[in-house]
Structure formats: C-alpha cells, structure tokens
Amino acid sequence: MEKFEHEYNADQIQVLEGLEAVRKRPGMYIGSVSVRGLHHLVYEIVDNAVDEALAGYCTEINVTIEKGNIICVEDNGRGIPVDIHPKTKLSAAETVYTVLHAGGKFGGDSGYKVSGGLHGVGSSVVNALSEWTEVTIQRDGGLYQMKFQRGKTVSTLTKIGDSKKTGTKVRFLADDTIFETLEYEYEVLENRFREMAFLTKGLKITITDEREETPRKNEFCFEGGLNSFVEYLNNNKEKLHPTPIYIEKDGEYPVEIAIQYTSAYSENIYTFVNNINTIEGGTHLEGFKRALTKTFNDYAKSKNILKEKDGNLQGDDIREGITAVISVKVKEPQFEGQTKTKLGNSEVAGIVQAMVNEKLSTFLEENPNVAKAILEKCVSAARAREAARKARELVRRKSALESTTLPGKLADCSSKNAEECEVYIVEGDSAGGSAKQGRDRRFQAILPLWGKMLNVEKARADKIYGNDKLNPVILAVGAGIGADFDITKIRYGKVIIMADADVDGAHIRTLLLTFFFRYMRPLIENGNVFLAQPPLFKLFKKGMEDIYWYEDDLTGAFEILKERGIERDQVSIQRYKGLGEMNPEQLWETTMDPARRILVKVTMDDAIEADKTFSLLMGDDVNPRREFIEKNAKYVKNLDI
Ligand code: 28F
C-alpha cells in the first residue's frame, strides 16, 4: 500500500475524481495513448511555457529527454504563482496541477492577469497520466517544490530554499500502464519545437536527448519569426523575390502573415491558430485566399498588366508557387473538421481578408519590382491552366470513348471489388516479373515502373497528364488527379509502393509519394497508400526454416537463433540488395502475402515535414539532396508513417 502525506477534503475528492476520469479515458484528453499521445504530454507542458513567453515574461525554454524517458521542461518565466487560495486552501500551483481545466479558465478572479498568453489547461492532464511529476518553481525569492504520483499529491508545495531567479521546471515520467510506449521520437519533438520557435519570434527553445551515450541537441531561436519560417520552407527553392512579404495587424484578433513566391508550381500555405497547426484550414485561410486574389487582380488592372478583356486571374493562378505562413490568435477558437484542425469562427474570415487587402496592396504599391515578378508568374500560370484544361478535356473525351483502357504494363487482378483489391507499384522490370508470378492474381494487381520518374515539383498539371511514367499510375488508380480526383472511383483500396531498400528505391518512393501528395492527396489522407517492406536479410541453414529479417540490426535475429539452439556461425546470412534477388515464391512469402508481409501505411500527419522532404529531393540543389539520401536511407521515419 502506498501512503500519502496528504489529507483530502470534499473539494479535493472531487478533484481526484476529475483526474481519475482522465486516467479512465485518456484518449478524450490527449487524443490517444499511442506515441502521438505520449508526445502530446510534452506539448501540453511546453505550451504553458510558450504562453508565458507570449505574455512577455519568458525568453528561454529547455526541453530534455532524460535517461529512462523522463521529460524535463524548464522556463525562465515568472514561475507559477505559489500563494494559497483562501477557499481551496491550496496553492495556485498545486491547483493548476490537480484540478482539471484549471489554468487560463480561472485567470478571471485569481488576481493574475494572463495578458496575451492563454495559459493552457493541460498540466493536470499530464499529471494524471504520469507515474510521477515533480514541479519546481522559483518565485518571490524562494525555491518551491511539489510532487505527485499518478495525479495524487505526495508532497504538497513546500519552500525548499531561496532563489533570486524566477521560472518553472516540470519533470515527469509518463505512466507505462497507460501509454503503449514511452519511447519519445527526437525528430518529432524537434520539428514541433522548431515550429513553435518560428511562431514566437525571439523565443529560444532548446531540446536535448540524453538517452544515448552522446547527447543530441538542437537550439531554435528565430529573430525573423514567420519570415524565417517561410525562408526555411523555401530553402533550396528558387525564389522570385529575395525577402518574404511580411504583414501583420494587432488588435482583438492579431494576424501575422509571411509570403514568398518561388518558381515551383505547388501551393504551400500553412495556417496556425494560437500556434496550433490548422491542417484542414478554415475561415482564416478563406479570408486570406479571397484577399490575395482580389488584391493582385486589382493591382494588375490598375497597372495595366492585365487588360480588361483578359478577364480575371483565378485564385489558383495567383497561388502557384506561393509559400505562406498565416498565424492568427483567437480568444475562443472553434475547431471543426475530421481532425478538429479547421478553424470555424466565421468572423475571422472578414478580419483576415480586410487586413490582407489593406496591407498587401500597400506593399505592392511600395514594391513594384516584387509585384511585377509575382504577376508575371501568375499570368503564365493562367496560360498554363488554359492549356491544361484543353489537355484534360482531351484525356476526358478519350476516356469517355474507351473508358476501360488500362495501361499496357498493368497486370490487373480478377476481382473488381476495390475494397479488397491492391495494386503493387513495382520498381524495375525484373522485380515486376517476380511480383506478377508470385502474387495472388485474384486481388493483387502489379504495375511495373522503370526509369526515373518525372519530377512533379517542377511540372505543371498539363505535363503530368501526358507523362508516360505517371499516366499508367493515374489510369491504374482510375480516379483522376488534382481538382478532378475522385476518391470514390479508385480501383484499388490499397496502393502499395514496392521499391528496393536502397537509395534508388528511396528516391522512387519519394517521387511517387510526392506525386500522390500533390495530385492525389485524398488517397493519402484516406489511408490508401502503403509502403511494402521487403526483408533486408535471409538467415538460412540446412534443415532450418529460413529466417527473413526486416531490420538493419540483426541482434533480434541472433536471439531467435539462440532460442532454437543454433550457433551464429552455423548459419549463412544473405543481404538482399534488391527485390530482383528474390524469386516469385520468396517475394510472396516475405513481402506480398497479407498474412506475413509488413505494410507501412503512409499518413500526411506532418504536411510541413513531408513537403520539406520532397522539396529537398526535388529542388535544383544537388548537395542537400545527396546529404538527405545518405542520412535517410530509411527516411520513411521522417514522414511520420
Ligand atoms: C515548464 C512549464 O508551466 N510555466 C508557467 C506560468 C506563469 C503564470 C501562470 C504559468 C495564475 C493562477 C492560473 C505567473 N505570474 N512551464 C510553465 N508559467 N502559469 S505556467 O499563471 C497561472 C494562472 O492560476 C503566472 C503571474 N501570472 C501568471
């Protein structure tokens, strides 16, 4: 039996019931108990420190993953208030950590004005879901500490020393009886904190990983704020103007926007509400798009770049090659959409629209060279759009006539029930041959691809329709592309990319993913795209069943041998360099048989990182590409798959 020094009164019993609810249904509070939910715990704590920075009192946040997956977050803000609330007889700090929904909510009568910042409500949730939590506060000349176990106070807030500094430090160990895993992924946290540093100009965030012998460390601090963000996203793309366009407006709904055009054909607009990535967009994005279209059209007409007879430039034309980051602060945000990442507040559309109309037109008047460079590109986009429309019509007319035309190389399956059907897109003719022989032809189709693919980052839609490498993919999937893509028409429930586990394979995979990401995004969002995982090794010995191994590290395979009482040096190890080295049977057994294969589902969780990855590989600059490929032979991890 655990013994607690604490005595509980009626109020606190209610509190405990509150945290018990969090432990019973953690998913309701942090989304899931997977590795994603685990990372959420860290974000909740860091959010509070960032709020303190937004309030203007904190300049530095340090996050450490300590040995044993203990998280330590420290800020140099004012420190959570330590004074006792007369009614609850608890310190403000302990209340924040033990009462569900405390924090910002009781900013009203607590005597503390939470200016600017919104002081998150997640501290008590983190506390409830941690095996233990330790909070140390420096404030009012003192050093204070309190400790919890699974949300229960085991040591109430106590002064344990003096301090001239101020700040808050929180250490916690997530509860392994709640979470599926406690293994934090450094890259995931690193990306999130980089993003947060971009969104909070001048705030320094460091992240350290002490789990390995040689600690990893990154420091993020961007004096340029959103401008730095856009420059980062456009890294190694060709820019149409040297510095981003930056516009901002304070007030009840602060809005900040940075824009920079590149010679690429894609549109990359990232939107944030209270530093939360609104992946599904919403009213702020709508307002921005409307204003962008109107402002550029008005300017082009007034300067006679666009004649009255030409009609208007369309929104798509004006957004070709744009990279933009939009950050708004909304006191009571309403989030909608499938993943609750779409801003619903209708008033925000007009606010952003008016702000962009005003500030962007001023910018264009004052920077005619930038305006000219962008508009030239818009006009050529409009022309390409017209050409694309014609090309598409041609394709449509054709397919109306011969609607069953499938690519010649496709070995289709006999079932026509998309739900159970799969298409393997296979790199290379020889692997394609093995796959054709090894498959279950009832529900598995094979589409061999070979040679280098078209670089879709640099191609407009009209080229893609006519491209002889991508056209087979489009026809096989059978649902069109771009704005015409219709997920209900897909011919296969699983689109599986099967490529070698080497650098060329990684390249093909990335090119295909880029293509899906840009032109069939719903396919990724809907979870229809997969990566096949061919084995890396075969361990074999006469009289022993072959062992296929899918990881670089063979330690686990050797353990299996040991369990079977076989010495390591008795077995031969074959390293597979490519799919072509496997015969049809082996390919079936290891990579295609639904009962035995490993499939990795591709998700577009982290659109920013994915785009960055693609651009790196697609950009003109060869060096970052090579570096990337070398570093990421198993790059799929970075796509958050
Ligand atoms: C490592 C995580 O949580 N930092 C925080 C503050 C500062 C204040 C605060 C936090 C007031 C009464 C609700 C201080 N002085 N880092 C953190 N720093 N919370 S959390 O106030 C909380 C509200 O209860 C703070 C004056 N006002 C606010």
Side-chain angles (χ1 to χ4, degrees):
M1 260 308 262
E2 287 168 303
K3 264 209 173 133
F4 297 127
E5 305 160 17
H6 225 68
E7 277 177 36
Y8 297 102
N9 60 31
D11 274 2
Q12 287 160 268
I13 285 163
Q14 252 200 334
V15 163
L16 291 176
E17 280 168 359
L19 293 195
E20 212 35 62
V22 177
R23 290 178 61 81
K24 276 215 184 88
R25 297 167 149 232
M28 296 251 302
Y29 299 87
I30 50 158
S32 77
V33 291
S34 68
V35 67
R36 265 183 101 181
L38 182 76
H39 289 134
H40 243 285
L41 297 185
V42 187
Y43 304 154
E44 290 292 349
I45 299 299
V46 174
D47 277 349
N48 291 333
V50 170
D51 286 341
E52 185 67 356
L54 288 174
Y57 299 98
C58 159
T59 57
E60 258 188 74
I61 301 171
N62 297 314
V63 183
T64 309
I65 314 169
E66 299 178 3
K67 280 204 166 67
N69 285 307
I70 293 160
I71 294 289
C72 177
V73 185
E74 193 168 10
D75 74 41
N76 66 347
R78 289 167 293 181
I80 310 178
V82 295
D83 46 349
I84 307 284
H85 193 283
K87 218 172 115 201
T88 64
K89 306 242 172 14
L90 272 186
S91 64
E94 192 172 335
T95 312
V96 168
Y97 270 79
T98 52
V99 179
L100 200 53
H101 294 309
K105 288 269 164 67
F106 71 117
D109 65 346
S110 66
Y112 296 99
K113 259 253 159 303
V114 202
S115 62
L118 305 157
H119 276 126
V121 295
S123 312
S124 60
V125 171
V126 174
N127 188 19
L129 301 177
S130 292
E131 189 175 318
W132 57 260
T133 308
E134 172 199 285
V135 182
T136 315
I137 296 163
Q138 299 177 84
R139 194 184 159 99
D140 304 334
L143 182 68
Y144 298 83
Q145 195 168 66
M146 56 186 176
K147 293 179 184 175
F148 310 90
Q149 272 173 23
R150 300 200 159 99
K152 295 182 181 171
T153 308
V154 289
S155 157
T156 196
L157 191 75
T158 315
K159 188 169 178 208
I160 56 169
D162 298 321
S163 175
K164 291 202 179 79
K165 291 194 278 184
T166 64
T168 305
K169 177 163 106 177
V170 179
R171 291 175 73 239
F172 66 90
L173 174 65
D175 192 337
D176 67 358
T177 64
I178 289 191
F179 290 94
E180 289 165 9
T181 170
L182 296 191
E183 279 300 322
Y184 295 94
E185 284 188 30
Y186 185 82
E187 287 85 0
V188 172
L189 295 177
E190 178 194 330
N191 288 332
R192 174 71 184 138
F193 299 143
R194 182 189 296 109
E195 189 176 289
M196 289 183 122
F198 279 132
L199 292 167
T200 318
K201 198 185 333 208
L203 172 64
K204 183 162 124 188
I205 306 182
T206 60
I207 170 161
T208 313
D209 189 347
E210 293 179 345
R211 291 172 301 179
E212 301 287 328
E213 279 314 305
T214 39
R216 265 175 100 172
K217 189 171 176 163
N218 279 85
E219 188 178 306
F220 301 115
C221 181
F222 303 103
E223 292 304 335
L226 292 197
N227 273 1
S228 307
F229 200 162
V230 163
E231 281 167 356
Y232 169 81
L233 293 167
N234 280 346
N235 168 34
N236 72 55
K237 287 186 188 176
E238 188 194 335
K239 290 98 180 156
L240 298 189
H241 48 105
T243 37
I245 302 168
Y246 179 79
I247 53 179
E248 69 172 326
K249 194 173 176 123
D250 256 2
E252 202 187 328
Y253 295 85
V255 183
E256 238 190 306
I257 301 174
I259 308 166
Q260 189 177 39
Y261 280 82
T262 72
S263 62
Y265 298 114
S266 48
E267 169 186 331
N268 295 307
I269 306 178
Y270 299 110
T271 61
F272 295 85
V273 175
N274 304 339
N275 287 353
I276 297 161
N277 191 183
T278 34
I279 297 164
E280 297 172 278
T283 51
H284 49 340
L285 180 60
E286 292 312 314
F288 172 76
K289 284 183 176 176
R290 258 181 260 151
L292 194 77
T293 306
K294 178 175 159 46
T295 305
F296 272 109
N297 269 305
D298 286 357
Y299 180 87
K301 288 220 175 95
S302 78
K303 297 287 183 271
N304 245 336
I305 298 168
L306 202 63
K307 308 282 185 310
E308 205 59 56
K309 67 171 169 56
D310 294 335
N312 275 340
L313 292 166
Q314 293 194 356
D316 288 339
D317 304 332
I318 294 171
R319 295 192 300 274
E320 188 184 275
I322 196 175
T323 301
V325 178
I326 301 169
S327 172
V328 300
K329 298 276 165 22
V330 179
K331 291 232 167 62
E332 280 177 53
Q334 286 148 21
F335 292 111
E336 305 171 344
Q338 263 187 338
T339 56
K340 291 270 174 276
T341 57
K342 180 175 182 183
L343 183 67
N345 305 54
S346 55
E347 71 277 18
V348 178
I351 286 162
V352 175
Q353 192 178 346
M355 175 270 190
V356 176
N357 277 337
E358 179 199 333
K359 307 263 169 173
L360 186 61
S361 55
T362 309
F363 177 91
L364 296 180
E365 289 296 340
E366 288 170 0
N367 299 272
N369 288 340
V370 176
K372 189 164 159 262
I374 296 171
L375 275 166
E376 266 169 17
K377 162 118 176 154
C378 298
V379 169
S380 92
R383 279 195 208 113
R385 171 172 51 81
E386 191 51 28
R389 192 182 59 75
K390 285 186 184 141
R392 204 155 56 218
E393 230 147 61
L394 221 75
V395 172
R396 274 208 197 115
R397 230 174 292 142
K398 245 202 232 155
S399 59
L401 289 176
E402 16 173 12
S403 60
T404 51
T405 314
L406 286 168
K409 286 259 176 190
L410 176 76
D412 210 0
C413 50
S414 53
S415 166
K416 294 286 167 258
N417 174 8
E419 229 165 273
E420 64 168 352
C421 290
E422 315 176 340
V423 61
Y424 276 82
I425 303 178
V426 188
E427 170 203 8
D429 257 347
S430 73
S434 293
K436 267 182 210 177
Q437 289 172 37
R439 68 176 169 148
D440 181 336
R441 61 176 61 238
R442 200 183 61 73
F443 68 98
Q444 292 181 318
I446 309 294
L447 180 65
L449 289 185
W450 60 115
K452 285 260 176 290
M453 298 274 290
L454 181 74
N455 184 340
V456 289
E457 169 106 341
K458 292 198 208 149
R460 278 197 176 113
D462 52 332
K463 285 227 185 77
I464 286 172
Y465 268 107
N467 180 264
D468 60 343
K469 302 284 190 298
L470 290 174
N471 227 3
V473 179
I474 300 168
L475 292 175
V477 173
I481 61 169
D484 300 328
F485 184 81
D486 179 356
I487 190 111
T488 64
K489 292 220 171 83
I490 53 171
R491 302 181 58 251
Y492 308 97
K494 290 195 174 74
V495 175
I496 305 168
I497 302 170
M498 183 156 73
D500 288 340
D502 62 4
V503 168
D504 284 343
H507 200 209
I508 279 276
R509 239 183 338 255
T510 306
L511 283 162
L512 276 172
L513 284 184
T514 310
F515 171 66
F516 290 136
F517 176 72
R518 300 250 187 247
Y519 293 96
M520 299 189 184
R521 193 171 298 187
L523 201 63
I524 298 185
E525 287 168 340
N526 201 44
N528 297 103
V529 183
F530 297 82
L531 303 180
Q533 298 288 95
L536 298 176
F537 299 98
K538 180 167 91 171
L539 289 77
F540 58 101
K541 170 179 144 42
K542 249 212 168 98
M544 176 191 91
E545 199 187 321
D546 295 345
I547 298 177
Y548 293 103
W549 202 250
Y550 297 80
E551 298 168 15
D552 266 327
D553 186 355
L554 279 166
T555 318
F558 294 143
E559 275 164 18
I560 293 177
L561 286 179
K562 211 165 157 191
E563 279 165 24
R564 296 190 189 170
I566 300 169
E567 292 295 327
R568 228 159 112 160
D569 48 20
Q570 292 178 282
V571 297
S572 309
I573 301 176
Q574 179 188 358
R575 186 182 177 103
Y576 287 116
K577 291 197 199 71
L579 296 161
E581 291 176 28
M582 267 180 275
N583 64 35
E585 254 154 62
Q586 289 172 326
L587 200 56
W588 165 256
E589 282 173 20
T590 62
T591 319
M592 299 181 71
D593 176 5
R596 284 176 280 185
R597 71 185 175 192
I598 301 175
L599 280 191
V600 182
K601 190 186 276 188
V602 177
T603 69
M604 279 290 102
D605 235 4
D606 199 341
I608 292 185
E609 206 45 37
D611 180 65
K612 178 88 177 128
T613 305
F614 294 143
S615 301
L616 255 176
L617 284 165
M618 303 312 159
D620 297 306
D621 220 342
V622 178
N623 280 334
R625 176 159 60 229
R626 182 176 310 130
E627 260 169 47
F628 168 84
I629 291 177
E630 282 165 6
K631 212 174 79 192
N632 296 280
K634 292 196 296 175
Y635 75 105
V636 288
K637 213 168 148 228
N638 288 345
L639 293 176
D640 197 11
I641 291 166

